[in-house]
Amino acid sequence: DDQLLAMHLAMRKGNFTTAKFLLQQNPTVGGNKKSSKKTVNPLETLANRILGTGSRGTEPNEKEFKDEVKQAFPELEYFTPSKKASDQEAKLLVTDQKRTVCGFFCIYWITANQYAKFTHKQKDDKLKDESGSWGHLVQFAKDNVKIRTPGVL
């Protein structure tokens, strides 16, 4: 969708007012305020599930979360390499997409206080947090970042 590409480019260039305007104009993402048709916002649905306030009532498992992130953020498809992309360009795009999705997972794990999932790929137990910094990170997210409502998340 050309409008999503425009929104993505506006955000990358720091034109957040333009990106917000485009988001509000797109009924499939931000919803058009003038439209009488109510659309379900996949991002709000995902945020509610993470915070345990959604109608589905359960936190998503990691596969569901990844699928829902891709649905909520269709611009992640812009990281998919075209057939014309060089091997180096393709690797960079895939790496950027993985980093972005990883960032979403970190938000999910911290917000939902999922320490075991956050560390499950760490093979060395010495790397795992035993000092209590995980608890400080979760508390920081709640108190300072104020991640308590779907709107903030």
Side-chain angles (χ1 to χ4, degrees):
D1 181 277
D2 289 339
Q3 195 169 19
L4 290 176
L5 177 59
M7 183 175 58
H8 174 76
L9 292 172
M11 289 176 62
R12 286 196 65 147
K13 296 291 183 183
N15 297 317
F16 300 110
T17 304
T18 302
K20 183 178 180 182
F21 172 78
L22 292 170
L23 176 68
Q24 291 170 341
Q25 299 306 307
N26 190 328
T28 61
V29 180
N32 188 337
K33 304 280 189 236
K34 297 175 187 171
S35 173
S36 61
K37 199 179 202 184
K38 187 173 181 176
T39 58
V40 176
N41 183 334
L43 184 56
E44 187 174 345
T45 301
L46 180 59
N48 278 315
R49 286 191 69 197
I50 291 170
L51 294 169
T53 57
S55 60
R56 289 169 76 178
T58 59
E59 291 175 1
N61 64 38
E62 289 187 15
K63 182 183 179 338
E64 290 172 336
F65 179 77
K66 190 173 183 180
D67 292 343
E68 290 179 36
V69 162
K70 287 183 177 181
Q71 182 183 2
F73 295 96
E75 58 270 22
L76 285 171
E77 289 300 314
Y78 296 124
F79 289 112
T80 302
S82 71
K83 292 179 182 176
K84 295 178 184 178
S86 69
D87 287 346
Q88 184 179 4
E89 290 171 325
K91 284 179 184 178
L92 285 173
L93 285 170
V94 170
T95 299
D96 283 346
Q97 184 182 46
K98 286 180 179 179
R99 284 182 182 150
T100 302
V101 172
C102 181
F104 285 119
F105 269 108
C106 289
I107 293 168
Y108 165 47
W109 290 322
I110 292 167
T111 304
N113 197 10
Q114 300 275 339
Y115 177 72
K117 289 182 181 179
F118 186 77
T119 61
H120 78 280
K121 293 285 185 175
Q122 292 180 3
K123 297 187 186 336
D124 187 354
D125 285 337
K126 292 178 186 174
L127 294 174
K128 295 188 178 183
D129 176 28
E130 295 181 19
S131 66
S133 63
W134 175 260
H136 293 293
L137 181 61
V138 170
Q139 201 60 44
F140 177 83
K142 288 180 181 176
D143 295 343
N144 295 64
V145 184
K146 308 246 187 267
I147 299 179
R148 294 184 182 136
T149 65
V152 173
L153 186 57

